[in-house]
Amino acid sequence: MCEKGFLECPNEIKPWWWNLTVKRLHLSSPLTFAPFLSCQKVIRILREKAFDQAPVTNESGEILGMVTLGSILSSVQEGKVKLSDPVRMVLCKDFNQVYLTDNLGKLSCILNRHNFALLVHDHTKYEADGSVCPRQMVFGVVTAIDLLNFITTHEGQDHPQS
């Protein structure tokens, strides 16, 4: 319930950064993959970029899921995929999302239980036929190291509340 924003996380004394927003993290642009890339190519790129996971999006930027080194490894070990198979075959569709306006306390609760959260932004796409399609765009992938880097970099400084 806490991770979904319905309840406050149990923590009697909130740290100075708790109510600051996720946008304060100043994350870099995300690395994303097309669903047809081979698992082998995805592994190579993740290794080169020193990432453990990345979003997979279609050509219009719609989020299809997340690929993790763990999901590739377990699928290969179980014989479900070959390294030459497209990455869309190993997608994790169960992942947590946060918005730029969510507070770092919510993010902290998520990262206490999960390795990452996907930073997203909602937008509306109008199609040629007049239909309206709500979409989410990937703004980044947030991990515990991102939050810890922010906390340690700003520890002991004056802490504005936004």
Side-chain angles (χ1 to χ4, degrees):
M1 297 276 285
C2 167
E3 292 171 11
K4 302 292 184 193
F6 297 119
L7 293 175
E8 283 277 325
C9 289
N11 187 356
E12 307 252 338
I13 300 171
K14 305 289 189 249
W16 61 265
W17 47 266
W18 191 265
N19 290 314
L20 299 178
T21 60
V22 172
K23 70 180 170 186
R24 294 288 301 268
L25 295 180
H26 301 292
L27 299 167
S28 58
S29 304
L31 167 74
T32 61
F33 292 111
F36 55 81
L37 283 176
S38 72
C39 290
Q40 188 165 14
K41 185 163 187 132
V42 167
I43 292 168
R44 183 181 55 76
I45 294 168
L46 287 172
R47 187 174 45 226
E48 285 173 4
K49 302 294 183 183
F51 289 132
D52 291 330
Q53 66 276 318
V56 176
T57 60
N58 64 17
E59 53 280 343
S60 65
E62 184 179 357
I63 303 163
L64 301 177
M66 292 289 292
V67 61
T68 68
L69 291 174
S71 66
I72 295 173
L73 177 61
S74 64
S75 294
V76 168
Q77 282 178 334
E78 294 168 9
K80 293 179 180 177
V81 299
K82 298 183 295 263
L83 291 176
S84 58
D85 287 336
V87 73
R88 71 174 173 265
M89 295 178 70
V90 295
L91 292 184
C92 298
K93 297 195 180 210
D94 183 28
F95 52 86
N96 289 280
Q97 298 179 355
V98 293
Y99 294 86
L100 290 169
T101 55
D102 285 336
N103 66 41
L104 294 178
K106 177 181 177 180
L107 175 63
S108 176
C109 289
I110 291 170
L111 295 176
N112 279 335
R113 303 188 75 187
H114 305 279
N115 294 327
F116 64 90
L118 193 59
L119 178 58
V120 298
H121 180 72
D122 290 333
H123 76 282
T124 304
K125 180 179 181 183
Y126 290 88
E127 301 289 347
D129 64 2
S131 62
V132 178
C133 299
R135 302 264 189 210
Q136 286 187 321
M137 291 177 55
V138 177
F139 266 44
V141 177
V142 191
T143 63
I145 196 65
D146 297 311
L147 182 56
L148 289 169
N149 282 342
F150 176 81
I151 293 167
T152 58
T153 300
H154 295 87
E155 190 70 44
Q157 299 177 2
D158 290 333
H159 306 294
Q161 292 298 314
S162 60

